[in-house]
mmCIF file of all heavy atoms in Angstrom:
data_model
loop_
_atom_site.group_PDB
_atom_site.id
_atom_site.type_symbol
_atom_site.label_atom_id
_atom_site.label_comp_id
_atom_site.label_asym_id
_atom_site.label_seq_id
_atom_site.Cartn_x
_atom_site.Cartn_y
_atom_site.Cartn_z
ATOM 1 N N ARG A 1 -6.621 199.969 62.899
ATOM 2 C CA ARG A 1 -6.404 198.842 61.993
ATOM 3 C C ARG A 1 -5.823 197.614 62.710
ATOM 4 O O ARG A 1 -6.275 196.486 62.497
ATOM 5 C CB ARG A 1 -5.488 199.272 60.857
ATOM 6 C CG ARG A 1 -5.099 198.123 59.940
ATOM 7 C CD ARG A 1 -4.611 198.626 58.667
ATOM 8 N NE ARG A 1 -5.815 198.604 57.830
ATOM 9 C CZ ARG A 1 -5.862 198.959 56.587
ATOM 10 N NH1 ARG A 1 -4.829 199.436 56.014
ATOM 11 N NH2 ARG A 1 -6.965 198.877 55.894
ATOM 12 N N GLY A 2 -4.838 197.782 63.572
ATOM 13 C CA GLY A 2 -4.225 196.642 64.269
ATOM 14 C C GLY A 2 -5.204 195.937 65.196
ATOM 15 O O GLY A 2 -5.275 194.709 65.234
ATOM 16 N N LEU A 3 -5.976 196.714 65.966
ATOM 17 C CA LEU A 3 -6.968 196.126 66.870
ATOM 18 C C LEU A 3 -8.084 195.454 66.086
ATOM 19 O O LEU A 3 -8.573 194.385 66.474
ATOM 20 C CB LEU A 3 -7.542 197.203 67.791
ATOM 21 C CG LEU A 3 -8.559 196.748 68.830
ATOM 22 C CD1 LEU A 3 -7.956 195.702 69.760
ATOM 23 C CD2 LEU A 3 -9.089 197.931 69.603
ATOM 24 N N ALA A 4 -8.480 196.041 64.962
ATOM 25 C CA ALA A 4 -9.528 195.442 64.128
ATOM 26 C C ALA A 4 -9.082 194.079 63.602
ATOM 27 O O ALA A 4 -9.860 193.122 63.616
ATOM 28 C CB ALA A 4 -9.881 196.370 62.972
ATOM 29 N N ARG A 5 -7.834 194.004 63.158
ATOM 30 C CA ARG A 5 -7.328 192.710 62.666
ATOM 31 C C ARG A 5 -7.288 191.670 63.780
ATOM 32 O O ARG A 5 -7.646 190.516 63.570
ATOM 33 C CB ARG A 5 -5.946 192.874 62.066
ATOM 34 C CG ARG A 5 -5.963 193.517 60.718
ATOM 35 C CD ARG A 5 -4.597 193.543 60.115
ATOM 36 N NE ARG A 5 -4.636 194.227 58.821
ATOM 37 C CZ ARG A 5 -3.580 194.519 58.117
ATOM 38 N NH1 ARG A 5 -2.382 194.205 58.579
ATOM 39 N NH2 ARG A 5 -3.697 195.131 56.969
ATOM 40 N N LEU A 6 -6.841 192.092 64.966
ATOM 41 C CA LEU A 6 -6.790 191.172 66.096
ATOM 42 C C LEU A 6 -8.189 190.665 66.468
ATOM 43 O O LEU A 6 -8.390 189.469 66.698
ATOM 44 C CB LEU A 6 -6.148 191.858 67.300
ATOM 45 C CG LEU A 6 -6.065 191.031 68.573
ATOM 46 C CD1 LEU A 6 -5.089 189.888 68.401
ATOM 47 C CD2 LEU A 6 -5.687 191.901 69.741
ATOM 48 N N LEU A 7 -9.161 191.560 66.506
ATOM 49 C CA LEU A 7 -10.537 191.153 66.827
ATOM 50 C C LEU A 7 -11.119 190.238 65.762
ATOM 51 O O LEU A 7 -11.834 189.282 66.079
ATOM 52 C CB LEU A 7 -11.419 192.379 67.023
ATOM 53 C CG LEU A 7 -11.182 193.162 68.306
ATOM 54 C CD1 LEU A 7 -12.016 194.434 68.309
ATOM 55 C CD2 LEU A 7 -11.499 192.313 69.517
ATOM 56 N N LEU A 8 -10.832 190.512 64.498
ATOM 57 C CA LEU A 8 -11.327 189.642 63.426
ATOM 58 C C LEU A 8 -10.709 188.248 63.510
ATOM 59 O O LEU A 8 -11.400 187.246 63.299
ATOM 60 C CB LEU A 8 -11.056 190.271 62.068
ATOM 61 C CG LEU A 8 -11.966 191.421 61.688
ATOM 62 C CD1 LEU A 8 -11.533 192.029 60.372
ATOM 63 C CD2 LEU A 8 -13.414 190.965 61.608
ATOM 64 N N VAL A 9 -9.426 188.178 63.832
ATOM 65 C CA VAL A 9 -8.780 186.870 64.004
ATOM 66 C C VAL A 9 -9.423 186.129 65.167
ATOM 67 O O VAL A 9 -9.710 184.925 65.081
ATOM 68 C CB VAL A 9 -7.259 187.035 64.209
ATOM 69 C CG1 VAL A 9 -6.630 185.747 64.704
ATOM 70 C CG2 VAL A 9 -6.605 187.492 62.933
ATOM 71 N N LEU A 10 -9.685 186.830 66.265
ATOM 72 C CA LEU A 10 -10.319 186.211 67.427
ATOM 73 C C LEU A 10 -11.724 185.702 67.091
ATOM 74 O O LEU A 10 -12.091 184.584 67.455
ATOM 75 C CB LEU A 10 -10.380 187.202 68.582
ATOM 76 C CG LEU A 10 -11.004 186.700 69.876
ATOM 77 C CD1 LEU A 10 -10.153 185.602 70.480
ATOM 78 C CD2 LEU A 10 -11.177 187.847 70.845
ATOM 79 N N VAL A 11 -12.496 186.505 66.379
ATOM 80 C CA VAL A 11 -13.852 186.093 65.984
ATOM 81 C C VAL A 11 -13.802 184.899 65.047
ATOM 82 O O VAL A 11 -14.565 183.938 65.200
ATOM 83 C CB VAL A 11 -14.625 187.272 65.359
ATOM 84 C CG1 VAL A 11 -15.888 186.803 64.678
ATOM 85 C CG2 VAL A 11 -14.941 188.315 66.412
ATOM 86 N N HIS A 12 -12.883 184.902 64.088
ATOM 87 C CA HIS A 12 -12.768 183.766 63.167
ATOM 88 C C HIS A 12 -12.339 182.503 63.912
ATOM 89 O O HIS A 12 -12.811 181.408 63.608
ATOM 90 C CB HIS A 12 -11.785 184.083 62.054
ATOM 91 C CG HIS A 12 -12.316 185.056 61.061
ATOM 92 N ND1 HIS A 12 -11.612 185.469 59.963
ATOM 93 C CD2 HIS A 12 -13.491 185.720 60.991
ATOM 94 C CE1 HIS A 12 -12.327 186.327 59.266
ATOM 95 N NE2 HIS A 12 -13.478 186.498 59.886
ATOM 96 N N PHE A 13 -11.446 182.657 64.883
ATOM 97 C CA PHE A 13 -11.031 181.502 65.685
ATOM 98 C C PHE A 13 -12.207 180.945 66.479
ATOM 99 O O PHE A 13 -12.412 179.739 66.542
ATOM 100 C CB PHE A 13 -9.887 181.899 66.623
ATOM 101 C CG PHE A 13 -9.507 180.817 67.584
ATOM 102 C CD1 PHE A 13 -8.829 179.697 67.156
ATOM 103 C CD2 PHE A 13 -9.851 180.916 68.923
ATOM 104 C CE1 PHE A 13 -8.486 178.692 68.045
ATOM 105 C CE2 PHE A 13 -9.513 179.924 69.819
ATOM 106 C CZ PHE A 13 -8.828 178.808 69.372
ATOM 107 N N MET A 14 -12.979 181.834 67.109
ATOM 108 C CA MET A 14 -14.108 181.382 67.930
ATOM 109 C C MET A 14 -15.191 180.711 67.086
ATOM 110 O O MET A 14 -15.834 179.779 67.542
ATOM 111 C CB MET A 14 -14.692 182.555 68.710
ATOM 112 C CG MET A 14 -13.781 183.036 69.822
ATOM 113 S SD MET A 14 -14.421 184.454 70.686
ATOM 114 C CE MET A 14 -15.842 183.718 71.493
ATOM 115 N N THR A 15 -15.393 181.180 65.868
ATOM 116 C CA THR A 15 -16.417 180.556 65.023
ATOM 117 C C THR A 15 -15.953 179.232 64.435
ATOM 118 O O THR A 15 -16.776 178.453 63.959
ATOM 119 C CB THR A 15 -16.840 181.492 63.880
ATOM 120 O OG1 THR A 15 -15.697 181.863 63.110
ATOM 121 C CG2 THR A 15 -17.534 182.722 64.418
ATOM 122 N N SER A 16 -14.650 178.961 64.481
ATOM 123 C CA SER A 16 -14.168 177.677 63.960
ATOM 124 C C SER A 16 -14.316 176.549 64.970
ATOM 125 O O SER A 16 -14.162 175.381 64.622
ATOM 126 C CB SER A 16 -12.697 177.803 63.547
ATOM 127 O OG SER A 16 -11.879 177.985 64.677
ATOM 128 N N ILE A 17 -14.624 176.876 66.224
ATOM 129 C CA ILE A 17 -14.782 175.866 67.260
ATOM 130 C C ILE A 17 -16.221 175.346 67.245
ATOM 131 O O ILE A 17 -17.163 176.147 67.294
ATOM 132 C CB ILE A 17 -14.443 176.453 68.647
ATOM 133 C CG1 ILE A 17 -12.993 176.912 68.676
ATOM 134 C CG2 ILE A 17 -14.717 175.449 69.753
ATOM 135 C CD1 ILE A 17 -12.611 177.666 69.919
ATOM 136 N N PRO A 18 -16.429 174.046 67.172
ATOM 137 C CA PRO A 18 -17.793 173.504 67.159
ATOM 138 C C PRO A 18 -18.535 173.820 68.465
ATOM 139 O O PRO A 18 -17.926 173.933 69.533
ATOM 140 C CB PRO A 18 -17.586 171.998 67.024
ATOM 141 C CG PRO A 18 -16.203 171.825 66.535
ATOM 142 C CD PRO A 18 -15.424 173.003 67.020
ATOM 143 N N THR A 19 -19.839 173.949 68.376
ATOM 144 C CA THR A 19 -20.640 174.297 69.550
ATOM 145 C C THR A 19 -20.606 173.195 70.606
ATOM 146 O O THR A 19 -20.836 173.471 71.784
ATOM 147 C CB THR A 19 -22.094 174.579 69.159
ATOM 148 O OG1 THR A 19 -22.639 173.437 68.501
ATOM 149 C CG2 THR A 19 -22.187 175.800 68.272
ATOM 150 N N VAL A 20 -20.309 171.977 70.204
ATOM 151 C CA VAL A 20 -20.213 170.877 71.173
ATOM 152 C C VAL A 20 -19.082 171.164 72.163
ATOM 153 O O VAL A 20 -19.207 170.878 73.361
ATOM 154 C CB VAL A 20 -19.991 169.536 70.439
ATOM 155 C CG1 VAL A 20 -19.717 168.414 71.403
ATOM 156 C CG2 VAL A 20 -21.178 169.217 69.559
ATOM 157 N N ILE A 21 -18.002 171.736 71.690
ATOM 158 C CA ILE A 21 -16.879 172.074 72.562
ATOM 159 C C ILE A 21 -17.308 173.131 73.579
ATOM 160 O O ILE A 21 -16.967 173.050 74.758
ATOM 161 C CB ILE A 21 -15.676 172.555 71.738
ATOM 162 C CG1 ILE A 21 -15.251 171.494 70.730
ATOM 163 C CG2 ILE A 21 -14.520 172.959 72.642
ATOM 164 C CD1 ILE A 21 -14.861 170.171 71.324
ATOM 165 N N TYR A 22 -18.061 174.136 73.125
ATOM 166 C CA TYR A 22 -18.567 175.139 74.060
ATOM 167 C C TYR A 22 -19.491 174.491 75.092
ATOM 168 O O TYR A 22 -19.523 174.899 76.247
ATOM 169 C CB TYR A 22 -19.298 176.259 73.316
ATOM 170 C CG TYR A 22 -18.368 177.171 72.550
ATOM 171 C CD1 TYR A 22 -18.463 177.290 71.167
ATOM 172 C CD2 TYR A 22 -17.408 177.922 73.202
ATOM 173 C CE1 TYR A 22 -17.619 178.119 70.465
ATOM 174 C CE2 TYR A 22 -16.556 178.760 72.519
ATOM 175 C CZ TYR A 22 -16.663 178.854 71.150
ATOM 176 O OH TYR A 22 -15.828 179.682 70.463
ATOM 177 N N GLY A 23 -20.242 173.489 74.691
ATOM 178 C CA GLY A 23 -21.095 172.761 75.626
ATOM 179 C C GLY A 23 -20.289 172.035 76.680
ATOM 180 O O GLY A 23 -20.628 172.062 77.865
ATOM 181 N N PHE A 24 -19.205 171.356 76.271
ATOM 182 C CA PHE A 24 -18.349 170.682 77.234
ATOM 183 C C PHE A 24 -17.695 171.668 78.193
ATOM 184 O O PHE A 24 -17.589 171.403 79.392
ATOM 185 C CB PHE A 24 -17.264 169.860 76.530
ATOM 186 C CG PHE A 24 -17.756 168.547 76.002
ATOM 187 C CD1 PHE A 24 -17.570 168.206 74.678
ATOM 188 C CD2 PHE A 24 -18.400 167.637 76.830
ATOM 189 C CE1 PHE A 24 -18.015 167.002 74.188
ATOM 190 C CE2 PHE A 24 -18.854 166.426 76.351
ATOM 191 C CZ PHE A 24 -18.658 166.107 75.020
ATOM 192 N N VAL A 25 -17.255 172.791 77.677
ATOM 193 C CA VAL A 25 -16.664 173.818 78.540
ATOM 194 C C VAL A 25 -17.693 174.300 79.548
ATOM 195 O O VAL A 25 -17.402 174.481 80.728
ATOM 196 C CB VAL A 25 -16.111 174.985 77.699
ATOM 197 C CG1 VAL A 25 -15.743 176.175 78.567
ATOM 198 C CG2 VAL A 25 -14.907 174.527 76.894
ATOM 199 N N SER A 26 -18.918 174.484 79.100
ATOM 200 C CA SER A 26 -19.979 174.923 80.000
ATOM 201 C C SER A 26 -20.238 173.898 81.093
ATOM 202 O O SER A 26 -20.348 174.248 82.263
ATOM 203 C CB SER A 26 -21.263 175.168 79.200
ATOM 204 O OG SER A 26 -22.327 175.483 80.055
ATOM 205 N N VAL A 27 -20.305 172.634 80.721
ATOM 206 C CA VAL A 27 -20.618 171.594 81.704
ATOM 207 C C VAL A 27 -19.480 171.399 82.691
ATOM 208 O O VAL A 27 -19.703 171.278 83.894
ATOM 209 C CB VAL A 27 -20.963 170.261 80.999
ATOM 210 C CG1 VAL A 27 -20.988 169.106 81.971
ATOM 211 C CG2 VAL A 27 -22.295 170.385 80.290
#
């Protein structure tokens, strides 16, 4: 349960970041 909550928080955080930011990080 604890690891599942941590992973869900991480996934929700990552999906809140716009893809443009991932593009800048990539470049």
